[in-house]
Amino acid sequence: MDRAAVAFEDVTCTFAGRDGARPYTAVKGVTLSIGEGEFVSIVGPTGCGKSTLLNVAAGLLRPSSGGVRIQGERLTGINRRAGYMFQAEALMPWRSALGNVAAGLEFRGADRREARRRGEEWLERVGLSGFGDRYPHQLSGGMRKRVSLAQMLILEPPILLMDEPFSALDIQTRQLMENELLELWSANRKSVIFITHDLEEAISLSDRVVVLSAGPATHPIGEFAIDLPRPRDVAEIRLTPQFIALHDRIWRSMKEEVLKGYAQTRNRTAA
Amino acid sequence: MKRSTLRIWQALILVLIFVAWQALTQPGLLPPVVWDNPDRAAFFFGEPVKMFRVIWTWFADGTIYKHLWVTLEETVLAFVIGSLLGLAFGLWLGLSSTASTLLDPYITAMNAMPRVVLAPIFMVWFGLGIWSKVALGVTLVFFIVFFNVYQGVKEVSPVVLNNAVMLGASRRQLLRHVYLPSATSWVFSSLHTSVGMAFVGAVVGEYLGSAKGVGYLIQQAEGAFDINSVFAGILVLTAFALVLDYAVTHTERRLLRWRPAQSETEQL
Ligand SMILES: Nc1ncnc2c1ncn2[C@@H]1O[C@H](COP(=O)(O)OP(=O)(O)OP(=O)(O)O)[C@@H](O)[C@H]1O
Ligand SMILES: [Mg+2]
């Protein structure tokens, strides 16, 4: 397991309660490893700690105990080998779409003109050529997500951390983007941790689906290898009997947790 | 209301105000009600016709230009220096929590202090030239910009910040590409107020002691009980402030193009 791209080792994250609130243990004792070039989806009920885990893998959040190894090395500080696509809006509102896409290259000291040129290329790949000079507020939510995707991929990081990247898109655009992502991924096998609340999306994209329990003290409760043939078309694969069988199996193991998670979130807000 | 009709109405109200003013103050036009002496009203409130005559002569013989120029100079200097200082301090305190907790009571105290009373002290320090007025304006502008930048730094979206970090931004680059743009947008949102304050600093400073500037003109006229010239000066100042404000709006529009405006759809 030494060469795992990302290995969580007994990660526990406890958030200090503010203003007299009790401390909250979001994830507890998570041990999970993502192989080199593997596409792993993590599903789990809302509020269970998926984003928290991804922040740990990115090096943005230090776990209360345990740690992360990146390609065998212990992670301290920011994970320089990872690209992160955030769940929330993360574009710099004062930069145009092109400026946002090219930002990473500029930060890394690339020549400005060259960075812009590659930015244009990437905008085209995510279907936004001609929108380069728009500011984020002039783009639709889905377009902004695509800019974020290009912004991450232009740096060609070996590890991709994606937090519900396509949940804001309509189903057609979403499937287009999913296929595009699969194509990019299979071209030069990056390791992907893909978070979603959509089980179908998880199955159709991944090599492996990890199901998390409801919070607090979230931990993986099931791992399912997805042995569907590749290359896949996300729209077509959903119709195959294998897919449906897998979906059924995973969903049955999840259902209880989803209901539990929902009830807990409700109780916490009610209390 | 349509834009042109709106403008016409606005102009009409202005004309109406001056007509009413003239009617109420011109000696002998209306039978005296409040004062027995018909010249009293004109003595206290001036007469618009005479005011405009004063303004006319100021512009015709060119005496006003050097005063306007000095006031403008002071305003711009106070604004630029105050903004830069406010920006620097705001960034510094916004980014260093040690410094901000340490200095917090002093900042609050200095902001609470009525700083206009510093004007005489600045006269002693910087003399009667433009710099004492600039200093007064700076103290007024500084705090507005400072608090806005401080706020701006504190309210940078953590997600945008984390995203920039993940894209490989160094600390310097974060400052340059995330904190500074975010802070400047806050500076611009306070631009109208701070330009106004720079102007107030300049005029009050001139009024309290100087040899040039529109504030000085007003102060001179007051000394001679020349009420028409006082109001003429006030009118010139007001018009001047409106022009400044217009210039600010224009710059703002150009520099904050990335910010969502209220409505941007084209009306067909
Ligand atoms: N900074 C924080 N301070 C306190 N509690 C936090 C903090 N961040 C997250 N939490 C809590 O930890 C839990 C997990 O949050 P997280 O954002 O990881 O959920 P998630 O699985 O990504 O949910 P969703 O699917 O809705 O995005 C939540 O209950 C949340 O309230
Ligand atoms: Mg989340």
Side-chain angles (χ1 to χ4, degrees), chain A residues 15-16 24 26 45-53 87 163-164 268:
Chain A
F15 292 107
Y24 182 77
T46 175
C48 72
K50 304 184 292 293
S51 301
T52 307
L53 276 180
Q87 184 175 6
D163 196 348
E164 305 193 12
R268 270 177 79 201

Side-chain angles (χ1 to χ4, degrees), chain B residues 114-131:
Chain B
R115 291 181 298 281
V116 175
V117 300
L118 292 175
I121 303 177
F122 288 143
M123 306 262 168
V124 177
W125 290 353
F126 301 110
L128 292 179
I130 68 167
W131 291 106

Side-chain angles (χ1 to χ4, degrees), chain B residues 30-53:
Chain B
L30 291 177
V33 192
V34 185
W35 290 290
D36 303 333
N37 186 338
D39 290 335
R40 273 289 165 78
F43 177 76
F44 282 117
F45 297 104
E47 285 173 71
V49 171
K50 287 184 182 160
M51 284 170 213
F52 287 117
R53 210 170 292 146

Side-chain angles (χ1 to χ4, degrees), chain A residues 209-213 219-224 253:
Chain A
V209 174
V210 176
V211 179
L212 295 181
S213 72
H219 54 94
I221 51 164
E223 286 191 21
F224 301 84
S253 82

Side-chain angles (χ1 to χ4, degrees), chain B:
Chain B
M1 221 187 298
K2 252 187 28 207
R3 210 184 162 110
S4 48
T5 11
L6 190 73
R7 289 278 175 272
I8 291 173
W9 277 103
Q10 284 170 339
L12 217 62
I13 292 175
L14 187 71
V15 171
L16 215 70
I17 289 172
F18 280 112
V19 168
W21 189 350
Q22 181 70 37
L24 290 170
T25 51
Q26 189 172 333
L29 193 70
L30 291 177
V33 192
V34 185
W35 290 290
D36 303 333
N37 186 338
D39 290 335
R40 273 289 165 78
F43 177 76
F44 282 117
F45 297 104
E47 285 173 71
V49 171
K50 287 184 182 160
M51 284 170 213
F52 287 117
R53 210 170 292 146
V54 172
I55 294 176
W56 176 254
T57 38
W58 278 347
F59 280 95
D61 64 14
T63 44
I64 192 77
Y65 293 117
K66 72 167 189 230
H67 296 292
L68 272 177
W69 176 248
V70 168
T71 307
L72 178 68
E73 208 174 12
E74 290 159 354
T75 306
V76 169
L77 280 171
F79 170 71
V80 170
I81 297 173
S83 294
L84 288 180
L85 283 177
L87 193 65
F89 272 82
L91 279 174
W92 178 45
L93 291 198
L95 292 173
S96 151
S97 55
T98 333
S100 68
T101 33
L102 184 71
L103 297 179
D104 181 56
Y106 298 97
I107 302 276
T108 316
M110 269 158 64
N111 185 42
M113 180 169 64
R115 291 181 298 281
V116 175
V117 300
L118 292 175
I121 303 177
F122 288 143
M123 306 262 168
V124 177
W125 290 353
F126 301 110
L128 292 179
I130 68 167
W131 291 106
S132 55
K133 288 84 193 166
V134 172
L136 184 62
V138 165
T139 61
L140 298 177
V141 171
F142 171 81
F143 282 91
I144 298 170
V145 174
F146 168 80
F147 282 112
N148 273 290
V149 170
Y150 185 73
Q151 187 83 351
V153 169
K154 291 273 161 195
E155 297 205 350
V156 168
S157 151
V159 184
V160 172
L161 202 61
N162 280 338
N163 190 34
V165 168
M166 290 308 293
L167 291 174
S170 64
R171 252 192 90 76
R172 274 237 336 265
Q173 285 169 327
L174 282 185
L175 190 70
R176 162 78 186 78
H177 293 286
V178 180
Y179 286 114
L180 205 59
S182 172
T184 32
S185 86
W186 282 74
V187 172
F188 273 100
S189 69
S190 64
L191 204 62
H192 290 273
T193 333
S194 45
V195 168
M197 278 298 174
F199 184 59
V200 167
V203 173
V204 169
E206 286 165 1
Y207 184 80
L208 291 177
S210 67
K212 264 190 216 137
V214 185
Y216 162 79
L217 270 187
I218 295 178
Q219 193 264 337
Q220 287 290 297
E222 259 173 31
F225 292 103
D226 180 1
I227 195 75
N228 288 321
S229 295
V230 172
F231 276 112
I234 292 173
L235 285 181
V236 169
L237 278 182
T238 311
F240 188 66
L242 280 177
V243 171
L244 272 181
D245 202 67
Y246 179 79
V248 169
T249 310
H250 194 72
T251 333
E252 200 177 14
R253 271 211 205 115
R254 280 202 30 196
L255 289 177
L256 288 186
R257 222 156 40 88
W258 58 267
R259 274 228 300 220
Q262 220 79 75
S263 86
E264 277 185 315
T265 53
E266 199 107 8
Q267 298 294 310
L268 294 176

